[in-house]
Amino acid sequence: MSNLAIKLLQLYLPLVGGVVLGWLIGGVLPKNVPAALGKFLFWVGVPISIVAFVRHADLSGPIWIAPLVAWAAILLGTAIAHAFIALEVHRVRLTSPTAVPPLARKPTQGSFLLASMVGNTGYLGYPVILALLGQQYFAWALFYDLLGTMFGAYGLGVVMAARFGKNERNCAHLTRTMLTNPALWSFGLALASRDIPLPAPIEFSLQKAAWMAIALSLVLIGMRLSQLSSWRGLPHVWISLAIKMLLVPLILGYGLQFLGLSGAPRLVIVLQMAMPPAFATLILGETFHLDRDLTVAALAIGSIGFLFMLPLWLWLFGTANG
């Protein structure tokens, strides 16, 4: 068995196992359990993980590239999605002048754009990066997520959702949610305390708690996927996923070589770009009354599709090719 196959097997067993476990128990547990687990991870689990892993992460090198590429990926995905919407609406109106193209509806356009913009670089990105590349390169994934995806989702994403949907009065609330995100504050705490030694039992407990939070995040993904029931709007879902999970990572992944980035750091960034749509897209879609069917289908199909896409990214951008 090749080294790549062994590495994938070692990743897929806990990754798929955690999600499947969440899927199974999510169907029998009370409906409020995933929300409670999500709040626990948001306020406690993820901040602990960030503090624990940043203490051992390598912050040397041009790590500032990660959030810059994150924003480039968000903007490129948005631009390609905008262009596709315009072309699709024009094509349908040429062939059927009386027809109303699905992508002519503002709520559908909003969900299509959000699904093409931001990925699940936290709950899914963190465990994938840690399993494949270890804590040494975790900071690259963290910078991409906190300074790229989070501000992209609750910054530009809010603007887009408000433009194409309704309920604009919630913009201020979502902005406060972004600024008070405990992950952001724990990131600052982790940076400030990196050089402060901790007693061995505390350090050990911190690491164990961090890995437990990562495992629970996989279970949470399964729980949330078990509650998704709508699969309509599939043609547009496939296009948005192709933009988000294929075109953007390919274009920018090869473009990173012009910045002198290769090896493990480039692989981390490519994997973060290739993540399926973020659950934040569902939050924004429900808040601003966008096309929930498209959003839900994109989350479900994207999460499953990532497992099939991962070998491609390891083959193209694995450290052996760096």
Side-chain angles (χ1 to χ4, degrees):
M1 185 179 292
S2 67
N3 290 334
L4 177 59
I6 294 174
K7 184 177 292 188
L8 286 174
L9 182 62
Q10 292 173 338
L11 171 64
Y12 282 1
L13 285 177
L15 188 66
V16 176
V19 174
V20 170
L21 175 61
W23 179 283
L24 293 175
I25 64 177
V28 297
L29 291 176
K31 297 297 184 181
N32 61 342
V33 171
L37 178 57
K39 288 182 179 179
F40 170 78
L41 289 173
F42 181 79
W43 291 104
V44 180
V46 171
I48 287 177
S49 298
I50 290 173
V51 172
F53 294 138
V54 168
R55 289 180 59 83
H56 299 278
D58 183 5
L59 299 184
S60 62
I63 201 169
W64 51 267
I65 290 178
L68 292 183
V69 177
W71 275 100
I74 290 170
L75 295 176
L76 178 60
T78 305
I80 296 175
H82 261 300
F84 177 81
I85 289 172
L87 290 173
E88 177 66 7
V89 171
H90 180 68
R91 182 190 67 81
V92 172
R93 286 176 174 168
L94 279 179
T95 56
S96 304
T98 59
V100 179
L103 279 181
R105 297 178 60 250
K106 289 291 186 181
T108 300
Q109 290 180 3
S111 290
F112 185 86
L113 288 167
L114 288 175
S116 306
M117 284 172 50
V118 290
N120 192 351
T121 53
Y123 288 127
L124 185 59
Y126 289 175
V128 168
I129 300 304
L130 287 167
L132 286 176
L133 297 163
Q135 296 185 36
Q136 181 181 2
Y137 297 100
F138 178 70
W140 288 81
L142 190 65
F143 273 57
Y144 188 105
D145 177 56
L146 292 182
L147 302 182
T149 299
M150 190 184 73
F151 283 100
Y154 292 106
L156 179 61
V158 169
V159 173
M160 300 287 286
R163 177 187 173 192
F164 290 96
K166 302 175 182 178
N167 209 9
E168 295 189 30
R169 63 180 181 276
N170 279 303
C171 287
H173 171 72
L174 289 172
T175 301
R176 286 195 302 272
T177 299
M178 176 185 67
L179 296 177
T180 58
N181 190 326
L184 190 61
W185 295 100
S186 65
F187 178 50
L189 174 63
L191 292 177
S193 63
R194 265 174 61 86
D195 298 327
I196 300 176
L198 295 176
I202 295 179
E203 187 71 55
F204 176 80
S205 299
L206 190 62
Q207 290 289 319
K208 289 299 182 182
W211 282 106
M212 180 60 69
I214 293 298
L216 287 175
S217 71
L218 295 174
V219 174
L220 177 62
I221 291 175
M223 286 181 172
R224 286 178 168 171
L225 290 178
S226 71
Q227 296 180 345
L228 303 182
S229 58
S230 175
W231 296 79
R232 288 182 292 176
L234 291 184
H236 297 140
V237 168
W238 289 112
I239 298 298
S240 67
L241 293 179
I243 294 170
K244 171 70 189 66
M245 300 176 63
L246 183 61
L247 286 180
V248 170
L250 276 176
I251 294 171
L252 295 183
Y254 281 109
L256 287 173
Q257 62 188 351
F258 298 104
L259 296 177
L261 201 65
S262 62
R266 181 171 70 161
L267 178 59
V268 171
I269 292 178
V270 169
L271 290 177
Q272 289 289 66
M273 285 190 288
M275 288 294 155
F279 280 103
T281 60
L282 183 58
I283 296 173
L284 293 174
E286 292 178 341
T287 300
F288 292 95
H289 306 294
L290 300 178
D291 189 333
R292 189 179 188 278
D293 291 342
L294 191 152
T295 300
V296 165
L299 288 175
I301 296 173
S303 298
I304 297 170
F306 176 75
L307 298 177
F308 296 94
M309 295 295 296
L310 182 56
L312 172 66
W313 304 123
L314 293 178
W315 177 62
L316 291 175
F317 299 102
T319 54
N321 300 323

